Amino acid sequence: MRQDENLTARASKTGSGDTVVALSSARGVGAVAVVRLSGPDSWAIARKMVAGRKKFGALSPRKMALCNLIGGGGELIDRALAVKFAGPASYTGEDSVEFHCHGGLAVSSAVIDAALRHGARSATAGEFTRRAFLNGRLDLAQAEAVDSLVHARTDEGRRAALAGLDGGLGTQVEAMRRSLIELKTELEYRIDFPDEAGQGLSAEKIESLLDDSLAKLAALLQGARRALLACRGAVVVIAGAPNVGKSSLFNTLLGSNRAIVTATPGTTRDAVESELVLDGHLVRLVDTAGLRESSGEAEQMGVEYSRHYIASSDVVLFVHEAGSDFRRAESEFLAEYGHGKLVRVLSKVDLNPVPDDEAEGFIPVSAKTGQGMPRLRRAIATAVESATGGSGEKTSPVTSLRQQKLLEEARELLRAACPANPPEIIAADIDEVCTRLSEITGRISGEDVLDSIFSRFCIGK
Ligand SMILES: Nc1nc2c(ncn2[C@@H]2O[C@H](COP(=O)(O)OP(=O)(O)O)[C@@H](O)[C@H]2O)c(=O)[nH]1
Ligand SMILES: [Mg+2]
């Protein structure tokens, strides 16, 4: 399917002929709430909602004006700022309107109700950005960067998301795709006219063109891990035998009581995850029992952790109780995971004090008294820093795992493409690579991919 046909088909499927409305600012009490309307009828709907001396029709696009907003029955809802945007020069690419009204839910709900009564429908999660993508205002990689920017909690995350939003990834990927298509066209010419062609395209020449793309992919992937960790946060998993104080440590690090702490071993039955910022790094701290053993004894002997979380972790906090012997399960765990991304902790040192010089690489802490906690925070931040590849790497415009995975697949496919193969085989390989590149920017993408990306967005974005 060609790109524009593809878009038309999608537009009708997602109903983007409708006009949608949503609260675009955060829900709750605040000074200002922003209600956004987008779609072909947005101006007509706003015209019916604005009354008084200032008429909506008289407003110039992109100029704010103070208006009276009227609900059903002509009742005044609020005095608010209104601004209209004329498509395609708007976020969504469609005609749209923003009302900047007084904050709090009563006002914004009444404004939304009025828009709904005049024929708008409620926007689904990410629908404004989805429309921006479908109307060519953003490519898919930029749309994902919007989501990362909205969710950024650290300066590092904000910078990484902005790098993705400036369109650098789409431009680079598209340039690479074009040059590969050129190569493919030449190869196809050689297939169709084997006698005429060939002079200009030796195996060496093909190899150097493929190598060129490989180098560009490598450059994009370099720093991607760091950018992704900045956007998504580093996963730090707490592991250790039951009752050593993992959940207490989790709560102390977070300064809250998210995980349940009891004197009965084996209380934490499910993984609990919470975010915190350490030294400017976003950390997703996970407390998990992981093992759903029914027998009390197995649980007593085991180490609580979840393989699933460990596999996707960036750092593991291994907790051992001060003054206790190492259990077999603990030694086994350390033998399996004890290299690289491990921070070792000795817990409950208020009960069994351990001088630093006897701690043997473990950090002595007490969740009860707070002893050792600043040092543990620094150690986690340092481990996260080294997991992200150090501070020196340049930022990458990659902002989602999806983009990283597609870039990696493209690299593997290119590596496997052998310049000595017959031209039709190389052309088919190049096709595969181009498909991956097109998926990054959304030139090609299934409805399911779009659904999964945009459903993660907030409503109103
Ligand atoms: N004295 C003291 N007790 C602790 C400390 N940390 C945890 N505990 C106690 O140890 C028991 C088990 O703690 P918990 O955090 O649930 O351990 P988990 O099973 O590893 O998650 C509870 O009774 C806690 O109150 C500590 O630093 N000092
Ligand atoms: Mg626990």
Side-chain angles (χ1 to χ4, degrees), residues 242-243 245-248 259-262 266-269 287-289 304:
N243 220 33
K246 298 180 301 299
S247 297
S248 302
I260 302 161
V261 176
T262 66
T267 328
T268 314
R269 307 305 301 195
D287 179 32
T288 168
E304 296 180 321

Side-chain angles (χ1 to χ4, degrees), residues 237-251 254 257-274 285-294 299-300 302-306 309 319:
V237 178
I238 307 179
N243 220 33
V244 295
K246 298 180 301 299
S247 297
S248 302
L249 208 54
F250 175 89
N251 289 334
L254 288 163
N257 285 328
R258 284 260 351 247
I260 302 161
V261 176
T262 66
T264 320
T267 328
T268 314
R269 307 305 301 195
D270 286 307
V272 189
E273 184 180 316
S274 216
L285 194 63
V286 180
D287 179 32
T288 168
L291 304 175
R292 287 180 167 273
E293 303 283 357
S294 53
E299 201 145 17
Q300 285 280 2
V303 169
E304 296 180 321
Y305 68 102
S306 143
Y309 270 105
V319 186

Side-chain angles (χ1 to χ4, degrees), residues 50-56 58-59 64-68:
V50 172
R53 268 195 313 126
K54 201 69 152 191
K55 296 283 183 286
F56 183 81
L59 303 186
M64 278 189 157
L66 190 60
C67 302
N68 287 342

Side-chain angles (χ1 to χ4, degrees), residues 62-357:
R62 293 169 173 265
K63 290 240 163 60
M64 278 189 157
L66 190 60
C67 302
N68 287 342
L69 292 185
I70 304 297
E75 176 205 10
L76 178 70
I77 301 173
D78 193 16
R79 281 177 59 72
L81 289 168
V83 56
K84 62 165 77 150
F85 298 89
S90 70
Y91 180 69
T92 55
E94 306 168 329
D95 283 352
S96 53
V97 178
E98 283 178 12
F99 294 119
H100 295 233
C101 40
H102 285 98
L105 282 179
V107 174
S108 55
S109 304
V111 174
I112 291 169
D113 276 354
L116 292 173
R117 210 167 347 197
H118 292 307
R121 75 164 163 80
S122 297
T124 57
E127 187 162 4
F128 292 97
T129 308
R130 188 178 187 136
R131 287 175 176 220
F133 163 68
L134 292 175
N135 291 322
R137 302 290 294 166
L138 297 168
D139 65 33
L140 201 51
Q142 287 172 301
E144 287 176 305
V146 168
D147 190 43
S148 298
L149 187 56
V150 170
H151 286 105
R153 289 193 49 186
T154 62
D155 278 344
E156 209 180 13
R158 175 180 55 75
R159 282 189 207 105
L162 269 181
L165 192 56
D166 82 2
L169 182 60
T171 313
Q172 291 179 58
V173 161
E174 193 47 26
M176 201 186 315
R177 195 185 66 85
R178 290 234 171 84
S179 77
L180 285 169
I181 297 275
E182 259 173 49
L183 172 57
K184 194 187 118 183
T185 311
E186 287 206 44
L187 288 165
E188 279 166 348
Y189 190 74
R190 205 156 76 152
I191 301 167
D192 294 338
F193 306 99
D195 301 332
E196 285 177 40
Q199 303 293 44
L201 266 190
S202 59
E204 292 79 57
K205 176 76 180 157
I206 297 171
E207 186 166 9
S208 93
L209 288 169
L210 293 178
D211 279 351
D212 190 44
S213 294
L214 264 177
K216 287 185 177 133
L217 281 172
L220 276 174
L221 279 165
Q222 205 208 1
R225 182 174 154 76
R226 183 179 173 77
L228 279 178
L229 281 180
C231 290
R232 301 171 48 248
V235 177
V236 176
V237 178
I238 307 179
N243 220 33
V244 295
K246 298 180 301 299
S247 297
S248 302
L249 208 54
F250 175 89
N251 289 334
T252 305
L253 282 166
L254 288 163
S256 72
N257 285 328
R258 284 260 351 247
I260 302 161
V261 176
T262 66
T264 320
T267 328
T268 314
R269 307 305 301 195
D270 286 307
V272 189
E273 184 180 316
S274 216
E275 287 185 352
L276 75 155
V277 176
L278 283 179
D279 271 2
H281 299 291
L282 181 60
V283 167
R284 290 160 58 199
L285 194 63
V286 180
D287 179 32
T288 168
L291 304 175
R292 287 180 167 273
E293 303 283 357
S294 53
S295 132
E297 187 163 346
E299 201 145 17
Q300 285 280 2
M301 304 303 294
V303 169
E304 296 180 321
Y305 68 102
S306 143
R307 282 187 187 279
H308 161 74
Y309 270 105
I310 296 270
S312 62
S313 72
D314 300 292
V315 173
V316 175
L317 281 193
F318 177 75
V319 186
H320 174 73
E321 187 170 330
S324 68
D325 291 333
F326 268 92
R327 303 176 190 184
R328 206 173 81 197
E330 290 180 293
S331 307
E332 282 170 5
F333 182 87
L334 284 175
E336 190 170 352
Y337 297 107
H339 26 78
K341 52 183 187 182
L342 206 68
V343 173
R344 295 169 169 80
V345 182
L346 270 186
S347 62
K348 308 190 194 179
V349 289
D350 56 295
L351 299 178
N352 284 291
V354 178
D356 275 4
D357 54 356

